Amino acid sequence: MKTIDATPKSSAAGVTWDLTPLYASTHDDQLGNDLELATARASAFEQTYRGKVAELDATELHNALVELQELRELMDTPAIYAHLLHAGKTDEPEHGRLVALTQETSTAINRHLIFFELEWVQVDDDHADTLLKDPALKDFAYMLELERRYKPHRLPEGEENILDEKANTGSRAWGRLFEELTSRLTAEVTIDGQTKTLSQAETLALSYHPNRETRKSAADGMTEVLRSNLHPLGYVFNVRLQDHASDDRIRRYSSPMAARNLSNQIEQSSVDALVEACVNGFPIVARYYRLKQQLLKLDQLLDYDRYAPLSADLPSYNWATAQDIVLESYNEFSSTLGDIARRAFAERWIDAELRPGKRGGAFSMGGTTTTHPYILANYTDTVRDVMTVAHEMGHTVHQFLSYGVGYLQAHTPLTTAETASVFGEMIVFRRLLDAQTSDRAKLGLLASKIEDHFATVFRQIAMHNFEYRAHVARRKEGELSTDRLSELWFEANSEMFGDSVILRDDYRVWWSYIPHFIRTPFYVHAYAFGDLLVLGLVQRYQEQGDAFVPRYVEMLTKGGSVSPIALMEPLGINLGDPAFWSQGVKVLDELVSEAEILAEAIA
């Protein structure tokens, strides 16, 4: 059989981001000048404030924080540029060199700055409380309060500096290696009698192909390439599991999730309530997939059938059409959001084309307050791709609006980071659903959305359960074999699907390409948190109508400057109520009921 080493084209060819607002090129003198200036300013900051933080009054502390904020943004700008370059083409050595340079320089700069946080957490509690109530510090009060919560986990300055420097050859290095390994993976996939060599992103995209043999070939190709790389991928995962355990021991965290919960500003009890509600909803997943098996007229629904489209009537969407749909949806909801989205398309904040060496998946990176966020996508003209662009655009408008609270507080905790992205998906989905002209097409689109919700809620919780069990097992059993990791993965996913989907033995190794396990331990449950939270927001929007919109936009402008609970209170949502998560799961149950009704109508 003829082998074709070619990448299928999409309508997003040529849609690449413009990084010149950051720097003109890797050889831009300004890049080096910024690193030198940041180093000099950090040294001056240390000379000015070391040993004096406890003596500062509120105005002096405010002035110090303003300088620190400017300094952090200055030092981060080269690192943001390096990250974007590397994500766009991981196989370019110059990009990897710049990533290493910016990481090493940031570590050197942090040696001048780390004293400030350490001295602040040691300030007497009564004095700290007085400062935090002073109007002069109102812009930074919540951030300072959060920092003090880390007091039990801070180490002496010398040890903090060592840990930060060693991270460049530890967790950061392993994360980069994983990213470079997986972005280089290619699979042999047979499509219409021809074998093509496809990237990981292109191979995974074929999970949604209407032809069953194509889906199987893509799944088999992905499995083969994962198995052939299982040793290095498994070793990287094991190292990160042990590295996380070492961090927890050194910093005196009581459990694998404690550090993440602190950064997410949430209690373990709330995470447990979220997980319990989703696990209790697993029968909804099985119910839906049994319906899907009937609609596809299959004797068995196998793992590579999970995302098979129900309807061939669903149109494809070229890049220009996707742009129009996203812009119209955002603008109809809010002209403020629509204006930001328009700029994102017009000013080339987006990189959507497919190319060798490009990182798979999608993300929106916050950028700097003097530039703008950037979106990476791998666009292949499907409904799902439109929703991905809508999702990342939600992140972008959120990040852009949060610049007003300043660089240090613009970043949201993971608990609310997915709010605007999933909400963006929902407003675009409703436009797409209304545009369908037949019950069959509506069912196909509804099924696609249900599956997206399942992937964001139930699958992420299954992944969370796998990840948690892997961390616990690594601490009890020592280094885990790839067979042991595969066993834990298979167990967690089987719990979700029950008997509705036959998971082949091949599926056991599919834990090995998930980047969040390596880059950001215990991230994945934040997707479920965000999705169920958005279902609550959609309900409030339906109840309140136009009055909801300014409250929602105001919420986005606050970034991470207030707690998640306080952020949602004006919108009528109580994140501390365990029943809230069950209400979100009930909405998903109702969507499946809607699909069952449509299925009966077209039978």
Side-chain angles (χ1 to χ4, degrees), residues 233-460:
L233 293 174
Y235 184 72
V236 170
F237 193 11
N238 261 289
V239 170
R240 287 296 286 122
L241 291 172
Q242 182 57 18
D243 182 71
H244 190 77
S246 298
D247 280 346
D248 285 349
R249 184 182 68 255
I250 292 168
R251 294 194 178 280
R252 300 179 295 277
Y253 285 111
S254 59
S255 68
M257 285 190 63
R260 178 63 60 205
N261 291 341
L262 185 57
S263 66
N264 281 353
Q265 303 160 42
I266 194 171
E267 298 296 327
Q268 182 64 46
S269 58
S270 295
V271 178
D272 291 342
L274 167 69
V275 172
E276 181 180 2
C278 293
V279 169
N280 289 340
F282 280 172
I284 301 170
V285 178
R287 178 173 137 225
Y288 168 76
Y289 279 109
R290 281 192 286 269
L291 172 65
K292 184 166 188 175
Q293 178 187 340
Q294 296 171 12
L295 292 169
L296 291 175
K297 297 181 172 57
L298 295 175
D299 293 334
Q300 290 182 321
L301 198 71
L302 299 177
D303 52 83
Y304 55 78
D305 296 317
R306 288 170 298 147
Y307 302 122
L310 285 183
S311 174
D313 297 336
L314 286 179
S316 61
Y317 296 88
N318 63 32
W319 179 253
T321 303
Q323 175 177 321
D324 290 342
I325 291 169
V326 172
L327 283 177
E328 290 168 4
S329 301
Y330 271 69
N331 196 62
E332 183 177 299
F333 174 74
S334 162
S335 60
T336 300
L337 272 56
D339 287 345
I340 299 169
R342 177 190 53 76
R343 288 189 60 190
F345 285 108
E347 298 174 17
R348 293 178 56 199
W349 301 4
I350 306 172
D351 191 307
E353 75 171 6
L354 305 176
R355 59 178 176 271
K358 182 179 178 180
R359 172 179 160 169
F363 66 75
S364 175
M365 190 167 195
T368 70
T369 62
T370 56
T371 56
H372 52 73
Y374 283 93
I375 292 173
L376 179 140
N378 287 272
Y379 193 79
T380 58
D381 292 25
T382 65
V383 170
R384 185 170 178 267
D385 292 323
V386 179
M387 301 302 291
T388 296
V389 174
H391 180 101
E392 300 306 333
M393 190 62 71
H395 281 306
T396 288
V397 299
H398 194 179
Q399 291 157 344
F400 192 84
L401 287 169
S402 70
Y403 288 166
V405 298
Y407 187 71
L408 288 179
Q409 298 189 99
H411 307 292
T412 62
L414 296 183
T415 41
T416 53
E418 296 297 330
T419 306
S421 55
V422 179
F423 195 90
E425 281 189 63
M426 289 298 291
I427 60 178
V428 169
F429 166 71
R430 286 299 168 187
R431 177 173 290 273
L432 289 171
L433 188 64
D434 291 343
Q436 306 310 311
T437 57
S438 70
D439 286 344
R440 188 173 298 277
K442 286 182 179 179
L443 176 59
L445 185 58
L446 179 61
S448 175
K449 187 56 184 170
I450 288 172
E451 290 166 19
D452 283 344
H453 277 303
F454 283 6
T456 308
V457 176
F458 299 119
R459 180 171 183 262
Q460 298 301 326

Side-chain angles (χ1 to χ4, degrees), residues 90-98 176:
T90 64
D91 54 0
E92 172 55 58
E94 180 66 14
H95 298 171
R97 183 199 68 80
L98 189 60
R176 175 182 163 186

Side-chain angles (χ1 to χ4, degrees), residues 176-185 229 232-233 236:
R176 175 182 163 186
L177 175 62
F178 178 87
E179 189 172 284
E180 293 189 2
L181 279 172
T182 53
S183 66
R184 286 166 167 77
L185 296 181
N229 289 273
L233 293 174
V236 170

Side-chain angles (χ1 to χ4, degrees), residues 34 61 109 125 192 218 361 366 392 436 462 471-472 484 538 547 565:
D34 283 352
L61 183 54
I109 292 171
D125 287 344
D192 297 330
E392 300 306 333
Q436 306 310 311
H471 278 269
V472 171
R484 178 69 171 127
V538 170
I565 289 176

Side-chain angles (χ1 to χ4, degrees), residues 69-86:
Q69 179 164 260
E70 293 174 357
L71 212 166
R72 289 286 186 193
E73 187 161 15
L74 178 64
M75 66 181 278
D76 285 355
T77 303
I80 291 168
Y81 179 67
H83 175 83
L84 292 169
L85 281 177
H86 187 256

Side-chain angles (χ1 to χ4, degrees), residues 91-310:
D91 54 0
E92 172 55 58
E94 180 66 14
H95 298 171
R97 183 199 68 80
L98 189 60
V99 168
L101 172 64
T102 56
Q103 285 182 348
E104 291 161 10
T105 305
S106 294
T107 297
I109 292 171
N110 277 328
R111 282 199 291 270
H112 294 294
L113 304 177
I114 200 167
F115 78 91
F116 191 84
E117 295 173 359
L118 297 177
E119 289 189 25
W120 166 245
V121 300
Q122 294 302 324
V123 170
D124 175 79
D125 287 344
D126 290 339
H127 182 49
D129 288 343
T130 300
L131 289 172
L132 291 173
K133 293 173 183 176
D134 194 299
L137 277 172
K138 64 182 178 64
D139 291 341
F140 294 104
Y142 183 64
M143 182 194 76
L144 290 169
E145 178 188 337
L146 282 179
E147 191 59 44
R148 289 184 65 80
R149 297 180 190 178
Y150 285 89
K151 183 175 181 177
H153 311 292
R154 290 298 191 191
L155 304 174
E157 184 177 343
E159 295 177 26
E160 290 284 0
N161 281 324
I162 290 171
L163 287 178
D164 190 41
E165 184 161 353
K166 291 295 290 180
N168 289 330
T169 52
S171 59
R172 296 168 193 153
W174 290 110
R176 175 182 163 186
L177 175 62
F178 178 87
E179 189 172 284
E180 293 189 2
L181 279 172
T182 53
S183 66
R184 286 166 167 77
L185 296 181
T186 58
E188 300 296 308
V189 181
T190 300
I191 305 173
D192 297 330
Q194 292 185 319
T195 300
K196 299 184 178 183
T197 302
L198 303 180
S199 69
Q200 179 200 123
E202 292 164 336
T203 303
L204 291 173
L206 292 175
S207 302
Y208 301 84
H209 199 280
N211 183 278
R212 196 182 195 201
E213 287 305 313
T214 298
R215 295 196 303 272
K216 182 179 185 302
S217 180
D220 291 346
M222 185 71 178
T223 298
E224 182 178 350
V225 72
L226 290 177
R227 279 184 171 153
S228 65
N229 289 273
L230 204 56
H231 176 70
L233 293 174
Y235 184 72
V236 170
F237 193 11
N238 261 289
V239 170
R240 287 296 286 122
L241 291 172
Q242 182 57 18
D243 182 71
H244 190 77
S246 298
D247 280 346
D248 285 349
R249 184 182 68 255
I250 292 168
R251 294 194 178 280
R252 300 179 295 277
Y253 285 111
S254 59
S255 68
M257 285 190 63
R260 178 63 60 205
N261 291 341
L262 185 57
S263 66
N264 281 353
Q265 303 160 42
I266 194 171
E267 298 296 327
Q268 182 64 46
S269 58
S270 295
V271 178
D272 291 342
L274 167 69
V275 172
E276 181 180 2
C278 293
V279 169
N280 289 340
F282 280 172
I284 301 170
V285 178
R287 178 173 137 225
Y288 168 76
Y289 279 109
R290 281 192 286 269
L291 172 65
K292 184 166 188 175
Q293 178 187 340
Q294 296 171 12
L295 292 169
L296 291 175
K297 297 181 172 57
L298 295 175
D299 293 334
Q300 290 182 321
L301 198 71
L302 299 177
D303 52 83
Y304 55 78
D305 296 317
R306 288 170 298 147
Y307 302 122
L310 285 183

